[in-house]
């Protein structure tokens, strides 16, 4: 009955339409007509029970409806109870005119509520006219129990009927079309009770052919559990062809008010749950922010000392391990922290948005855990990280240079020592003593070639000395062994120079001797060759076969033979002269210790040495191929990232349609970016191969891997932040009740004055407000700037602009609404008990509310 009492508190006048069939009693209560006896019986019982349900609140009741209202006292009391208002003081006398005066006061009060009474006067009530009394009570019921019922823009009888139809629609054998025969089988009443309190009736066991049982079940349950008195008799309803409509409406309206009160309490509980749930969620976000911020700051605090450690290593392997650890930090340890930082900023922005939407104070993190504190710590981390990477690369270059110089030193020393191997023994040889002139000249040419080679190797020795000096200057860890080896090479080089000069002197001396011998050999050859030819001719002639056929031929042969014999002495003299030359050669050889070989040997230089050196040089060609592949990929990915950054920057500005469509577009952008990650990973692989090959500079591209990484991180952060901004706009739109057209209008106005890609200067913001019809003074504009730029950044973001434009039209749960909801749950008491909270709210919200409420003291 709470709903009836609540409705009775309305004080505004309700002007009723005179044509409404249920507010014109003259149509129903014609004094010349008689009520159907069955209907009259039903109305007497129903109206009496209805009046007593209210009068008992004042500690009284009536027995006979036409007699107990005759003096007007209980009638006035009834009106005071159901309206909650005080009526004029009644007359205390028992005379007829006193009774008429009291009844008139009651009727005047009814008329003051907008009800037009026709054919009902105080005299009829005082005289106990049953029909007029029932008509008056029906008018009161209509005004205070039925008139204010409103369901889906229908009111009074239509509203009550529609409410019954909605509540009983799911039930079998129930079809409520009116307030008479639709209720005869009792199923409609049972369905109403079961719909709201299924624990009171087992509807599945009800039978349509047992109307009296169904009706009595409904009456008993309503009286026992719902505080609705029994106003009808089951037999009267069943045995009447058409039950009285007014009696049925009166009884059914009690169900509406009983359940409407429960629904109101449920609505109040839901409202409190909503507020508590928002508070719980906000506190959870605050706790998560504090936890994430603490963990992230602690990780930064522990990571910075590691990055600040600049202890150099002596070996490339150790430094490469440090570089690999740094790569693991970049690939494995830092990306989750980047995501945490991004998520932290998103959570903070979302939390602040929710707090603004619910009219709650802004969240202020613990000291040292502000977003700006985390951003500064992160900036410091990245600065140290950059310095550490630069130091690593510098140190690796230094060690690379040292290792390169050390290896070059070893190679040049090995080549030099390989070249000098046996050279001292060769220069000390006296092979020229047994050589011929041709061999001496060959040795001389060979020695001249050696001298040229020696001069060419002078540069190598100087390079070895220069490399050793640079290794000492770069603090090479094994400089002592380098110095020892370098000194040995220099000493050996000086000795080779001395031996080379000595051998040259010896070869020049022997060559001059052999030139003399060669002149003697030439003179001997010139003289021996004709003589040898003469003997060969003579031997040929003596060995020739004689074939003659006449005496003349015989004489001719003899003459020739004689002549040959005559030349023999002269030939002997020539033989002696030639032998003298040979003797002179032997004498010179014996005098100067020259060993005669009898031949003039010559030697040729093998080209194999040159071929071997060439094969060594060819081995160094294909070392630079890797960098071109990296450059080609970087020149594609770098502009792609820049293009996506520009596209995302224009998405929230240029995309038409609803926020959901913008969100879908941004999600698609995000998915495309995530799908592109494989190209970044491939580029990382190429970059790693280049660094493993100790190649750090690439002239084929302007993009470094650091540029790509930073651009990729910024791209991920930008798309996440843009999506978050649209999500916050959706939250704002839904919470504030803003239409899509309003948002589009706000966006168009913002874009028109936006010259900084998503932000407006104060002057542009002022111009935007003026263009939208605001009349701004300096003080008012300063106040607005404190709302949209609370951090004094000097710019106005689109989110701040939306918050400002929608702040005054927000439909949020105010403190008064929440307190009113608590008062409903507390049954209008100034306090609420723990049991009431636990009964009306879900367990989690109830305990949360109890833990934060203070004890009530009078």
């Amino acid at each position: 009955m709470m709903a009836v009492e609540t409705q009775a508190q309305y004080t505004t006048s309700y002007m009723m339409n005179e044509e409404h069939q249920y507010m014109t009693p003259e149509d129903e209560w014609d004094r010349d007509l008689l009520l159907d006896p069955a209907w009259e019986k039903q109305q007497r019982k129903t109206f009496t029970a209805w009046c007593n349900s209210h009068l008992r609140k004042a500690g009284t009741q009536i027995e006979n409806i036409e007699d107990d209202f005759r003096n007007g006292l209980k009638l006035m009391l009834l009106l005071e109870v159901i309206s909650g208002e005080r009526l004029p003081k009644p007359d205390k006398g028992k005379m007829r005119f006193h009774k008429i005066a009291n009844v008139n006061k009651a009727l005047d009060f009814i008329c003051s509520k907008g009800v037009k009474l026709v054919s009902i006067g105080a005299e009829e009530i005082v005289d106990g006219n049953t029909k007029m009394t029932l008509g008056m009570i029906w008018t009161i019921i209509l005004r205070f129990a039925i008139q204010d019922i409103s369901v889906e823009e229908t009111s009074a009888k239509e509203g009550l009927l529609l409410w019954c139809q909605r509540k009983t629609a799911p039930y079998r054998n129930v079809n409520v079309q009116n307030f008479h025969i639709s209720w005869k089988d009792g199923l409609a009443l049972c369905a109403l009770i079961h719909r709201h309190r299924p624990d009171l009736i087992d509807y599945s066991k009800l039978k349509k052919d047992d109307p009296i049982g169904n009706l009595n079940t409904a009456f008993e349950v309503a009286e026992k559990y719902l505080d609705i008195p029994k106003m009808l008799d089951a037999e009267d309803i069943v045995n009447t062809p058409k039950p009285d409509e007014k009696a049925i409406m009166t009884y059914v309206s009690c169900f509406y008010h009983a359940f409407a009160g429960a629904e109101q309490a449920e609505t109040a509980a839901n409202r409190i749950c909503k507020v508590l749930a928002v508070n719980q969620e906000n506190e959870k976000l605050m706790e998560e922010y504090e936890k994430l911020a603490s963990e992230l700051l602690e990780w930064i605090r522990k990571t910075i000392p590691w990055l600040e450690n600049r202890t150099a290593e002596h070996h490339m392997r150790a430094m490469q391990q440090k570089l690999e650890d740094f790569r693991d930090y970049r690939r494995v340890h830092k990306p989750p922290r980047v995501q945490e930082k991004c998520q932290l900023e998103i959570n903070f922005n979302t939390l602040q948005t929710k707090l603004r939407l619910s009219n709650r104070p802004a969240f202020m993190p613990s000291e040292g855990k502000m977003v700006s504190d985390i951003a500064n710590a992160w900036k410091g981390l990245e600065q140290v990280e950059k310095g550490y990477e630069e130091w690593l690369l510098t140190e690796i270059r230094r060690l690379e240079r040292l290792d390169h110089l050390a290896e070059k030193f070893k190679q040049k020393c090995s080549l030099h020592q390989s070249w000098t191997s046996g050279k001292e023994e060769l220069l000390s040889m006296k092979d020229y003593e047994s050589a011929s002139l041709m061999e001496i000249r060959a040795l001389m040419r060979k020695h001249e070639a050696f001298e040229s080679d020696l001069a060419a190797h002078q540069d190598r020795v100087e390079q070895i000395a220069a490399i050793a000096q640079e290794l000492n200057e770069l603090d090479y860890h094994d400089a002592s062994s380098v110095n020892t080896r370098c000194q040995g090479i220099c000493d050996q080089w000086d000795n080779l120079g001395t031996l080379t000069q000595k051998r040259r002197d010896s070869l020049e001396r022997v060559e001059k001797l052999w030139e003399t011998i060669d002149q003697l050999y030439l003179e001997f050859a010139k003289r021996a060759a004709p003589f040898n030819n003469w003997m060969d001719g003579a031997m040929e002639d003596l060995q020739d076969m004689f074939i003659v056929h006449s005496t003349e031929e015989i004489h001719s042969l003899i003459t020739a033979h004689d002549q040959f014999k005559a030349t023999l002495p002269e030939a002997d003299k020539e033989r002696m002269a030639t032998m003298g030359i040979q003797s002179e050669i032997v004498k010179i050889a014996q005098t100067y210790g020259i060993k005669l070989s009898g031949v003039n040997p010559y030697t040729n230089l093998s080209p194999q040495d040159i071929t071997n050196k060439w094969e060594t040089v060819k081995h160094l060609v294909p070392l630079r191929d890797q960098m071109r592949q990296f450059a080609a990929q970087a020149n594609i990915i770098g502009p792609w990232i820049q293009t996506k950054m520009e596209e995302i920057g224009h998405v929230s500005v240029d995309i038409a349609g609803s926020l959901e469509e913008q969100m879908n577009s941004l999600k698609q952008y995000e998915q495309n970016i995530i799908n592109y990650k494989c190209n970044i990973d491939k580029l990382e692989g190429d970059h790693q191969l280049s660094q493993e090959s100790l190649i750090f500079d690439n002239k084929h591209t302007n993009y470094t891997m650091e540029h790509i990484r930073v651009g990729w991180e910024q791209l991920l952060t930008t798309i996440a932040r843009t999506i978050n901004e649209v999500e916050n706009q959706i939250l704002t739109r839904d919470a504030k009740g803003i239409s899509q057209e309003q948002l589009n209008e706000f966006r168009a106005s913002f874009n028109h004055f936006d010259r900084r890609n998503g932000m407006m200067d104060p002057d542009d913001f002022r111009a935007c407000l003026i263009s939208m019809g605001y009349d701004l003074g300096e003080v008012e504009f300063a106040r607005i700037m404190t709302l949209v730029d609370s951090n004094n950044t000097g710019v106005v973001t689109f989110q701040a602009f939306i918050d400002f434009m929608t702040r005054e039209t927000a439909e949020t749960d105010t403190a008064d609404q929440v307190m009113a909801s608590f008062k409903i749950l507390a049954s209008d008491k100034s306090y609420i008990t723990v049991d009431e909270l636990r009964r009306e709210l879900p367990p989690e919200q109830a305990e949360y509310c109890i833990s934060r409420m203070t004890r009530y003291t009078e």
Side-chain angles (χ1 to χ4, degrees):
M1 304 305 293
M2 184 184 301
V4 177
E5 296 173 6
T6 303
Q7 291 180 359
Q9 296 176 3
Y10 288 105
T11 59
T12 57
S13 174
Y14 178 80
M15 299 303 297
M16 179 179 178
N17 188 342
E18 295 183 0
E19 296 179 356
H20 197 293
Q21 60 177 329
Y22 296 103
M23 297 304 293
T24 54
E26 66 273 19
D27 294 339
E28 296 290 340
W29 303 101
D30 192 331
R31 61 177 60 246
D32 295 331
L33 297 176
L34 295 177
L35 284 174
D36 183 277
W39 287 8
E40 181 178 344
K41 179 182 178 182
Q42 292 174 12
Q43 288 182 14
R44 287 169 61 88
K45 182 177 181 61
T46 301
F47 292 175
T48 300
W50 184 86
C51 292
N52 286 333
S53 68
H54 293 287
L55 288 173
R56 68 183 179 184
K57 298 176 183 177
T60 186
Q61 64 179 7
I62 61 173
E63 298 293 338
N64 191 308
I65 194 168
E66 65 268 23
D67 292 335
D68 293 344
F69 286 142
R70 292 178 64 181
N71 60 6
L73 296 178
K74 289 188 177 181
L75 180 59
M76 294 178 70
L77 181 61
L78 174 64
L79 291 173
E80 287 184 348
V81 170
I82 63 177
S83 68
E85 301 180 18
R86 296 291 297 177
L87 270 69
K89 186 175 180 180
D91 294 348
K92 297 295 185 180
K94 296 184 179 181
M95 302 297 290
R96 175 178 174 81
F97 72 88
H98 292 123
K99 297 179 182 179
I100 291 175
N102 290 335
V103 173
N104 276 326
K105 291 177 182 180
L107 296 179
D108 291 341
F109 178 78
I110 295 173
C111 291
S112 70
K113 297 302 179 181
V115 179
K116 183 177 181 181
L117 297 174
V118 180
S119 301
I120 299 177
E123 290 80 2
E124 285 85 353
I125 305 302
V126 172
D127 292 338
N129 187 317
T130 301
K131 179 181 177 182
M132 293 299 106
T133 302
L134 292 176
M136 178 188 65
I137 298 302
W138 172 241
T139 300
I140 294 173
I141 292 173
L142 277 176
R143 173 59 183 86
F144 293 100
I146 298 177
Q147 176 182 319
D148 293 332
I149 295 175
S150 178
V151 178
E152 296 184 7
E153 299 182 359
T154 63
S155 60
K157 177 183 177 182
E158 289 81 0
L160 182 61
L161 182 62
L162 181 59
W163 178 79
C164 295
Q165 291 172 342
R166 292 285 187 270
K167 297 298 181 181
T168 60
Y171 292 87
R172 58 182 175 81
N173 298 326
V174 177
N175 183 16
V176 178
Q177 298 297 327
N178 49 57
F179 285 106
H180 36 81
I181 61 175
S182 295
W183 304 84
K184 290 186 64 174
D185 58 7
L187 291 177
L189 289 173
C190 292
L192 279 178
I193 297 173
H194 184 269
R195 178 63 180 270
H196 295 89
R197 292 290 302 275
D199 56 311
L200 300 180
I201 292 179
D202 186 355
Y203 188 84
S204 62
K205 294 183 179 180
L206 300 178
K207 298 180 179 179
K208 186 174 180 62
D209 57 1
D210 186 17
I212 294 178
N214 296 339
L215 288 168
N216 285 329
T217 297
F219 296 156
E220 292 171 2
V221 170
E223 185 173 23
K224 183 176 181 181
Y225 297 103
L226 303 179
D227 197 25
I228 298 175
K230 183 177 180 181
M231 300 180 182
L232 301 169
D233 288 329
E235 293 78 3
D236 292 341
I237 296 176
V238 173
N239 295 329
T240 302
K242 181 180 179 182
D244 182 60
E245 186 177 50
K246 298 176 178 59
I248 298 295
M249 285 179 63
T250 301
Y251 187 61
V252 172
S253 68
C254 295
F255 284 90
Y256 172 84
H257 292 298
F259 294 136
E263 291 177 354
Q264 185 179 13
E266 180 181 357
T267 301
N270 291 336
R271 175 173 292 169
I272 294 174
C273 289
K274 177 183 176 183
V275 174
L276 296 179
V278 170
N279 286 345
Q280 285 178 304
E281 183 179 359
N282 290 341
E283 290 188 3
K284 183 178 179 181
L285 287 175
M286 293 175 188
E287 293 172 358
E288 289 179 354
Y289 176 87
E290 292 284 342
K291 180 181 178 182
L292 284 176
S294 299
E295 292 177 354
L296 185 59
L297 289 172
E298 179 65 17
W299 177 79
I300 293 174
R301 185 186 65 80
K302 292 181 179 179
T303 304
I304 286 179
W306 173 66
L307 295 174
E308 288 177 340
N309 183 13
R310 299 293 193 271
T311 303
E313 301 291 344
H314 294 306
H315 300 285
M316 177 64 76
R317 180 177 297 176
M319 288 305 297
Q320 286 179 336
Q321 183 60 46
K322 282 192 173 185
L323 180 61
E324 186 63 29
D325 293 341
F326 182 70
R327 288 177 182 153
D328 288 339
Y329 157 79
R330 275 276 181 78
R331 292 192 303 260
V332 179
H333 302 291
K334 185 180 177 183
R337 301 299 178 177
V338 172
Q339 186 176 1
E340 288 180 6
K341 176 177 175 291
C342 179
Q343 188 63 42
L344 193 69
E345 295 176 355
I346 290 174
N347 289 349
F348 181 82
N349 293 333
T350 301
L351 175 60
Q352 298 294 43
T353 299
K354 289 184 176 180
L355 289 174
R356 285 197 305 271
L357 294 177
S358 58
N359 288 332
R360 302 298 191 271
F363 170 57
M364 182 62 64
S366 303
E367 184 177 358
K369 297 180 183 177
M370 296 288 291
V371 173
S372 58
D373 297 328
I374 296 173
N376 291 334
W378 190 266
K379 182 178 180 181
L381 173 68
E382 291 188 334
Q383 289 176 349
V384 175
E385 178 185 315
K386 181 179 180 182
Y388 184 72
E389 183 178 24
E390 290 175 353
W391 173 79
L392 274 178
L393 296 178
T394 300
E395 192 63 22
I396 287 176
R397 288 190 183 100
R398 185 183 73 86
L399 290 179
E400 175 198 5
R401 178 63 178 169
L402 285 174
D403 288 350
H404 173 71
L405 290 174
E407 183 63 25
K408 187 176 181 180
F409 178 82
K410 292 177 182 178
Q411 290 179 356
K412 287 186 176 294
C413 289
S414 298
L415 288 174
H416 178 78
Q417 291 174 340
S418 175
W419 181 80
T420 59
S421 177
K423 292 294 189 295
E424 293 174 304
E425 291 79 4
L426 181 63
L427 292 173
S428 300
M429 289 177 59
K430 296 184 179 181
D431 52 346
Y432 50 82
E433 292 181 351
S434 59
S436 63
L437 177 60
M438 295 299 295
E439 292 172 340
I440 291 296
R441 289 176 175 172
L443 289 174
M444 178 58 73
R445 288 194 295 271
K446 189 176 181 180
H447 187 70
E448 290 173 352
F450 172 78
E451 287 178 331
S452 299
D453 199 7
L454 184 68
H457 279 76
Q458 176 68 32
D459 290 339
R460 180 178 291 167
V461 175
E462 292 175 355
Q463 290 173 3
I464 290 173
I467 292 172
Q469 181 179 356
E470 187 173 358
L471 288 172
N472 281 274
E473 292 173 352
L474 292 176
D475 195 20
Y476 183 56
H477 66 280
D478 197 18
S480 59
S481 61
V482 170
N483 294 334
T484 301
R485 191 171 186 182
C486 180
Q487 187 62 43
I489 289 174
C490 291
D491 294 341
Q492 184 190 37
W493 184 257
D494 293 339
N495 187 39
L496 283 176
T498 301
L499 292 176
T500 300
Q501 188 59 41
K502 288 182 179 180
R503 181 172 177 80
R504 183 175 186 81
D505 295 340
S506 297
L507 287 173
E508 288 178 350
R509 178 178 57 84
V510 173
E511 183 183 17
K512 291 179 180 180
L513 292 173
W514 269 106
E515 286 178 351
T516 301
I517 294 172
D518 186 67
Q519 290 296 327
L520 293 173
Y521 272 132
L522 180 60
E523 184 178 352
F524 176 81
K526 289 181 179 180
R527 301 189 68 166
F531 181 74
N532 185 58
N533 291 334
W534 175 83
M535 269 197 323
D536 289 340
M539 292 174 62
E540 182 181 358
D541 291 340
L542 292 172
Q543 293 176 355
D544 190 15
M545 182 179 294
F546 297 109
I547 301 175
V548 295
H549 300 285
S550 64
T551 304
E552 290 80 10
E553 292 178 350
I554 295 173
H555 284 293
S556 176
L557 289 173
I558 294 172
T559 302
H561 180 67
D562 290 340
Q563 292 175 353
F564 174 75
K565 287 196 297 183
T567 61
L568 287 177
E570 191 64 29
D572 185 54
K573 290 180 181 178
E574 184 65 23
R575 180 185 67 82
M576 293 298 292
T578 301
M579 291 303 294
I581 296 171
Q582 181 65 30
S583 298
E584 185 67 21
I585 293 173
V586 172
K587 181 180 179 180
I588 292 173
Q590 291 176 349
T591 302
Y592 294 100
I594 297 175
K595 297 178 180 179
L596 298 175
S597 61
V599 294
N600 292 320
Y602 296 94
T603 61
N604 297 318
L605 183 62
S606 175
Q608 187 63 37
D609 296 337
I610 300 174
T611 303
N612 292 337
K613 294 179 182 179
W614 176 248
E615 291 296 329
T616 303
V617 173
K618 289 198 300 182
H619 182 67
L620 300 174
V621 174
L623 293 178
R624 301 288 182 191
D625 293 338
Q626 289 293 340
M627 289 306 294
R628 290 188 176 273
Q629 184 176 357
F630 173 85
Q633 289 294 325
N635 287 332
I636 294 174
I637 293 176
W640 184 88
I641 292 176
Q642 294 175 356
T643 299
K644 290 300 176 183
M645 288 288 288
E646 295 173 357
E647 290 178 357
I648 293 171
H650 293 292
V651 162
S652 61
V653 175
D654 297 337
I655 289 183
S658 65
L659 291 176
E660 285 76 12
E661 293 173 345
Q662 294 186 29
M663 177 64 68
N664 292 335
S665 179
L666 289 171
K667 290 289 187 181
Q668 185 176 359
Y669 266 91
E670 183 181 42
Q671 188 60 45
N672 292 338
I673 292 171
I674 293 173
N675 294 339
Y676 201 78
K677 181 66 165 59
C678 59
N679 297 309
I680 304 295
D681 295 338
K682 184 177 183 302
L683 190 65
E684 283 280 7
D686 295 339
H687 177 66
Q688 182 174 349
L689 290 175
S690 299
Q691 288 194 332
E692 289 175 354
S693 300
L694 301 178
I695 300 173
F696 299 96
D697 297 322
N698 190 346
K699 65 181 181 179
H700 301 290
T701 180
N702 293 326
Y703 294 98
T704 65
M705 196 63 230
E706 179 60 23
H707 293 155
I708 299 299
R709 291 193 195 102
V710 172
W712 179 253
E713 293 174 1
Q714 290 178 349
L715 182 60
L716 292 178
T717 302
T718 300
I719 187 64
R721 185 182 298 112
T722 304
I723 290 175
N724 179 247
E725 290 177 357
V726 177
E727 289 174 344
N728 288 338
Q729 292 178 30
I730 292 175
L731 284 174
T732 302
R733 182 198 65 191
D734 295 340
K736 306 288 186 176
I738 303 172
S739 66
Q740 184 64 44
E741 289 76 15
Q742 289 177 303
L743 279 177
N744 292 340
E745 181 181 356
F746 294 159
R747 166 59 74 184
S749 298
F750 185 91
N751 292 345
H752 180 75
F753 293 93
D754 174 19
R755 295 184 297 177
R756 298 184 59 178
N757 194 17
M759 295 180 289
M760 285 195 295
D761 293 328
D763 293 339
D764 295 334
F765 178 57
R766 179 195 289 269
C768 181
L769 292 179
I770 293 174
S771 71
M772 297 179 71
Y774 282 80
D775 185 11
L776 299 176
E778 292 298 326
V779 176
E780 176 63 13
F781 182 72
R783 183 189 69 81
I784 294 176
M785 283 302 297
T786 61
L787 297 177
V788 299
D789 185 20
S790 57
N791 295 327
N792 294 324
T793 59
V795 294
V796 179
T797 64
F798 180 70
Q799 184 61 41
F801 179 77
I802 288 294
D803 290 342
F804 168 74
M805 295 303 298
T806 59
R807 182 174 286 109
E808 297 182 359
T809 61
E811 295 181 4
T812 58
D813 295 325
T814 65
D816 292 339
Q817 290 175 320
V818 175
M819 290 304 298
S821 299
F822 271 110
K823 193 170 183 180
I824 291 174
L825 296 185
S827 299
D828 292 332
K829 299 192 298 292
S830 300
Y831 61 90
I832 187 169
T833 66
V834 172
D835 292 337
E836 288 173 334
L837 284 173
R838 289 175 174 163
R839 182 178 67 249
E840 298 295 344
L841 301 181
E844 182 180 0
Q845 280 79 11
E847 296 303 324
Y848 175 82
C849 186
I850 292 170
S851 65
R852 283 160 173 75
M853 296 183 69
T854 58
R855 183 177 295 277
Y856 174 77
T857 56
E858 297 183 353

